[in-house]
Amino acid sequence: MTEDYSPPTSEWYHPTEDIVEHANVPDYEAVYAEAQDDLEAFWAKRANTLEWHKMWDKVLDDSNAPFYKWFVGAKTNIVHNALDRHTKTWRRNKLAFIWEGENGDKVTMSYWRLWQEGNKFANVLRSMGVKKGDRVTIYMGRVPEIIIAMLACAKIGAPHSVVYGGFSDQALADRIADAQSRVLVTADGAWLRGKIVRLKDVVDEAVRRSPVVDTVIVVKRTGHDINMEQGRDYWYHDLMALPIASRYCETEVMDAEDPLFILYTSGTTGKPKGVLHTHGGYQVYTSTTLEWAFDIKDDDRWWCAADPGWITGHSYIVYAPLILGATSIIYEGAPNFPYPDRWWRIVEEYGVTILYTAPTAIRGLMRFGDAWANRHDLSSLRLLGSVGEPINPEAWRWYHRVIGREECPIIDTWWQTETGGFMICPLPSVGLKPGSATRPFPGISVDIINDEGKSCEPGEDGNLVIQGPWPSMLRTVWGDDQRFLDQYWSKYKEQGWYLAGDTARRDADGYYWIIGRNDDVIKVSGYRLGTAEVESALVSHETVAEAAVIAVPDELRGNVIHAYCILVNGVDGSKELEAELKNHVGDEVGPIAKPSVINFVEKLPKTRSGKIMRRILKAEAQGLPVGDTSTLEE
Ligand code: PRX
């Protein structure tokens, strides 16, 4: 094991002729070069595929960098492009989405109907005194009303702050307080694994802690008894039945740079930060990335299996698919409820053509073996996607072979809440290597910078930076410009580069391999190891379903590695297996990567977006306080 250890695979997967021929962008190199040649002209051309109330005076204003402005002087509203304009075309009667509840409920909604529902709720919000610029907090499960509520807010220019429906009362209260939102939209409950999650109880407590809320609108989803406080709480369906909830509502004309939403995400330090996105640049970037990377066509059935409460859901369940006039599948519940083939049944039943999910879900389903998937006809699928963490080659190959019939390209998309849309990902016409997010999206320049501030050689690890602005970049941290500067722009202030917070390397073919967050990189005896590499090695062993490793301080070697492994069904941990796994890692990565301790566990602490919270394992291993656990799954 040396510092210039090369990526673990030289395995190539090339797209079929059919895929290349029908791709929205058949020639990545040409489009990438076009964007490099004249970035502003490139984005102006993309922006011209959308409708604007007033065109921009300037594509990019960098006079106050890094507070960049895009499409300066333009007037627009993302909802005009996502809904209003479709109602004047044949897409009016196309399905915007097909929704399935975990309990089997079904709702389908055309563009026309979604537009009307959005208008009605926008009128309700206006009648509650919500004005342009007011923040509205949304806290509910994966139900159609969350989408209606988000669109209604955007329509009247009220930035939404969606808080994932699994957060605790304190986390919700903190986010309400930070955004200072008067109005909260929620549901009585949500279905998950056959049980009711009592959302309204959480809301009652959160509002008690953050009394800035004076109006709570409650969607009836589960129908169990809840507390309704008079003068504060209103049923959604009652309000939507009032004459005030007219089907017609003027769309607020916004400045391109006006806030669209705040989305809280955990940072390297304590309290979550409110990442701010705006109407103009975000609509251009998210729609372009979806159209090109996932090759969206009018006859597709697009399924982004994320939650609307995370950036993946904001960009690729709500806004981009609607802008493109796509039909989405939305499923409320757990992938393995009531059986591990729930997802595969949905793919078959609705003829899903593109599935976009996270490695953690893939590994979770892989654990149950091939038979559950093989029981279903998955031949409608033509593209698969991955997001959220590095996908280990083992899971990649399973996804490709068992779900994708070895025919579907796997679009591994690297990006962040802050970036708004995909930054590094293949287009379907690009050759793939399992575990690599491949190359930057057209219009994006990235580099990997070593400790000396120089661009890394192939195979060398460094800080992933984004060199220059892009339309859907975060504009600031809500209410905290200084934090925005410190966190993202201070390390490479002179160069003006954005610090992603990830360690990555590039191979000799110019392919990018994300290793993980910088805080997840482990140094053992001076050697640099990515937790993802060691975990990937562990998971490549047939007994291991999922693994997490952490660095634990060691007097002799600086750090040693502790591993936590979830074994596949039917395998028990033993001393022999521990030794075998250590050797396996030694064989796969190098002797230096061998964990010194392997713990066999039933569960790993994860955020709701599926990232393993190593910080918690680390604290526990060292007997230290675990700190903020507000983003922990359960
Ligand atoms: O470490 C990277 C990892 O997720 C981080 C961003 O997390 P979040 O803001 O929650 O957004 C997740 C969904 C976009 C990144 O800094 N990450 C995301 N996608 C990938 C990834 N790591 C490797 N490969 C990916 N495809």
Side-chain angles (χ1 to χ4, degrees):
M1 174 85 205
T2 61
E3 281 279 327
D4 65 352
Y5 168 74
S6 329
T9 174
S10 55
E11 211 178 322
W12 278 98
Y13 290 82
H14 292 287
T16 61
E17 263 174 38
D18 192 52
I19 296 251
V20 179
E21 203 177 305
H22 294 103
N24 287 341
V25 177
D27 186 352
Y28 164 82
E29 305 289 347
V31 178
Y32 192 84
E34 182 197 330
Q36 291 304 99
D37 194 44
D38 188 342
L39 193 72
E40 291 189 37
F42 174 80
W43 287 118
K45 193 165 146 191
R46 293 309 305 164
N48 269 312
T49 64
L50 303 179
E51 292 182 3
W52 301 76
H53 294 88
K54 175 181 172 284
M55 299 306 271
W56 48 91
D57 305 317
K58 207 170 180 324
V59 174
L60 173 65
D61 175 2
D62 57 4
S63 60
N64 188 27
F67 295 97
Y68 293 95
K69 290 187 175 143
W70 284 87
F71 306 107
V72 186
K75 298 283 182 194
T76 189
N77 186 310
I78 196 167
V79 177
H80 176 82
N81 283 301
L83 289 179
D84 301 357
R85 64 172 178 153
H86 297 314
T87 62
K88 301 187 187 79
T89 72
W90 67 269
R91 283 206 184 88
R92 166 193 237 246
N93 293 332
K94 186 177 170 179
L95 288 184
F97 62 78
I98 300 168
W99 175 84
E100 184 171 300
E102 197 191 70
N103 62 350
D105 288 352
K106 284 177 192 175
V107 172
T108 55
M109 222 176 261
S110 66
Y111 274 86
W112 178 242
R113 168 93 194 282
L114 181 58
W115 178 75
Q116 292 190 342
E117 295 294 313
N119 287 349
K120 283 164 65 83
F121 196 57
N123 284 321
V124 167
L125 289 174
R126 273 196 179 139
S127 76
M128 295 287 188
V130 178
K131 298 181 307 299
K132 178 175 172 176
D134 293 348
R135 280 81 56 204
V136 173
T137 298
I138 301 175
Y139 178 76
M140 58 176 119
R142 225 174 290 160
V143 288
E145 290 82 357
I146 191 170
I147 295 169
I148 294 166
M150 289 166 75
L151 292 165
C153 288
K155 177 147 202 151
I156 61 170
H160 51 71
S161 162
V162 181
V163 178
Y164 175 70
F167 273 118
S168 66
D169 42 33
Q170 189 56 49
L172 176 58
D174 289 345
R175 287 157 177 78
I176 290 169
D178 192 77
Q180 286 292 297
S181 76
R182 261 189 53 231
V183 174
L184 175 61
V185 188
T186 188
D188 53 353
W191 286 111
L192 191 66
R193 291 187 192 91
K195 297 201 181 77
I196 290 174
V197 182
R198 300 180 62 94
L199 296 175
K200 182 60 168 51
D201 296 0
V202 177
V203 165
D204 288 341
E205 183 54 26
V207 173
R208 199 182 61 75
R209 293 179 196 204
S210 283
V212 55
V213 172
D214 60 32
T215 302
V216 178
I217 302 174
V218 188
V219 171
K220 189 176 256 182
R221 169 64 188 130
T222 45
H224 64 286
D225 274 344
I226 57 164
N227 161 52
M228 290 291 279
E229 201 164 306
Q230 240 206 334
R232 186 195 73 182
D233 301 350
Y234 303 88
W235 285 108
Y236 176 92
H237 59 264
D238 286 343
L239 297 173
M240 291 289 266
L242 295 174
I244 190 79
S246 143
R247 288 197 172 83
Y248 300 92
C249 175
E250 223 25 63
T251 298
E252 191 81 41
V253 175
M254 307 293 285
D255 204 275
E257 282 293 320
D258 277 338
L260 169 62
F261 65 81
I262 304 167
L263 185 54
Y264 288 88
T265 183
S266 39
T268 46
T269 52
K271 96 182 211 309
K273 44 184 189 242
V275 167
L276 180 71
H277 286 287
T278 58
H279 278 257
Y282 180 82
Q283 63 181 355
V284 175
Y285 195 81
T286 54
S287 60
T288 299
T289 46
L290 184 63
E291 182 179 344
W292 289 1
F294 283 101
D295 216 29
I296 299 281
K297 307 277 202 302
D298 257 316
D299 55 359
D300 272 314
R301 289 279 163 99
W302 160 251
W303 184 13
C304 168
D307 193 279
W310 304 111
I311 191 67
T312 310
H314 279 57
S315 299
Y316 299 110
I317 294 176
V318 183
Y319 291 109
L322 294 176
I323 293 170
L324 297 177
T327 300
S328 289
I329 308 296
I330 304 165
Y331 165 61
E332 179 185 34
N336 57 350
F337 186 86
Y339 300 108
D341 66 341
R342 183 67 183 263
W343 272 21
W344 315 130
R345 191 188 58 60
I346 291 174
V347 168
E348 180 175 17
E349 185 168 332
Y350 300 106
V352 173
T353 56
I354 313 170
L355 171 65
Y356 182 42
T357 184
T360 185
I362 298 163
R363 288 194 296 266
L365 291 166
M366 187 169 101
R367 259 180 98 184
F368 296 106
D370 302 2
W372 290 101
N374 289 343
R375 194 164 292 177
H376 295 275
D377 177 4
L378 306 181
S379 61
S380 57
L381 288 169
R382 65 182 181 88
L383 287 171
L384 298 171
S386 176
V387 61
E389 54 177 325
I391 178 163
N392 48 299
E394 191 69 13
W396 195 103
R397 290 189 203 100
W398 185 83
Y399 197 29
H400 187 254
R401 178 176 59 81
V402 179
I403 309 306
R405 319 176 302 283
E406 297 186 341
E407 280 173 18
C408 303
I410 293 181
I411 310 298
D412 180 1
T413 59
W414 177 84
W415 59 297
Q416 308 176 302
T417 305
E418 292 87 341
T419 70
F422 313 147
M423 301 302 279
I424 303 178
C425 67
L427 306 186
S429 56
V430 168
L432 305 173
K433 302 185 190 193
S436 168
T438 77
R439 322 259 309 263
F441 195 81
I444 303 300
S445 300
V446 300
D447 202 357
I448 299 177
I449 306 299
N450 64 21
D451 291 341
E452 284 79 55
K454 299 217 169 58
S455 184
C456 290
E457 294 299 318
E460 190 190 349
D461 293 357
N463 268 322
L464 180 59
V465 299
I466 303 168
Q467 298 166 306
W470 64 100
S472 67
M473 60 200 301
L474 81 161
R475 297 307 195 261
T476 190
V477 171
W478 182 254
D480 200 346
D481 287 347
Q482 194 56 47
R483 197 163 169 201
F484 168 72
L485 294 172
D486 293 347
Q487 179 101 38
Y488 306 104
W489 302 99
S490 63
K491 189 164 172 87
Y492 300 108
K493 192 162 182 244
E494 268 163 48
Q495 300 91 328
W497 297 337
Y498 168 91
L499 178 73
D502 277 2
T503 296
R505 62 171 84 103
R506 185 174 36 217
D507 68 17
D509 299 313
Y511 276 49
Y512 287 83
W513 299 75
I514 311 297
I515 294 166
R517 300 294 302 190
N518 294 335
D519 30 16
D520 292 341
V521 170
I522 304 177
K523 281 221 167 194
V524 181
S525 305
Y527 289 92
R528 191 185 290 186
L529 291 165
T531 49
E533 280 171 304
V534 184
E535 289 162 4
S536 188
L538 285 164
V539 178
S540 74
H541 193 272
E542 75 242 16
T543 60
V544 179
E546 201 155 355
V549 302
I550 54 163
V552 176
D554 178 76
E555 270 187 15
L556 187 64
R557 291 173 280 181
N559 290 296
V560 291
I561 295 176
H562 282 208
Y564 296 79
C565 295
I566 301 178
L567 299 176
V568 295
N569 286 342
V571 176
D572 293 322
S574 64
K575 280 275 157 224
E576 290 72 16
L577 184 57
E578 187 177 345
E580 190 179 323
L581 290 176
K582 286 179 185 172
N583 287 331
H584 180 69
V585 174
D587 290 341
E588 290 286 303
V589 190
I592 197 73
K594 276 191 186 181
S596 57
V597 174
I598 292 186
N599 299 296
F600 298 112
V601 294
E602 290 295 319
K603 268 191 167 174
L604 291 167
K606 280 187 194 159
T607 65
R608 291 171 191 92
S609 58
K611 269 190 279 300
I612 296 165
M613 296 183 82
R614 296 190 187 77
R615 186 170 55 74
I616 291 182
L617 292 172
K618 225 165 170 165
E620 277 186 344
Q622 295 171 69
L624 300 170
V626 290
D628 176 19
T629 54
S630 66
T631 55
L632 191 66
E633 190 186 8
E634 55 195 42

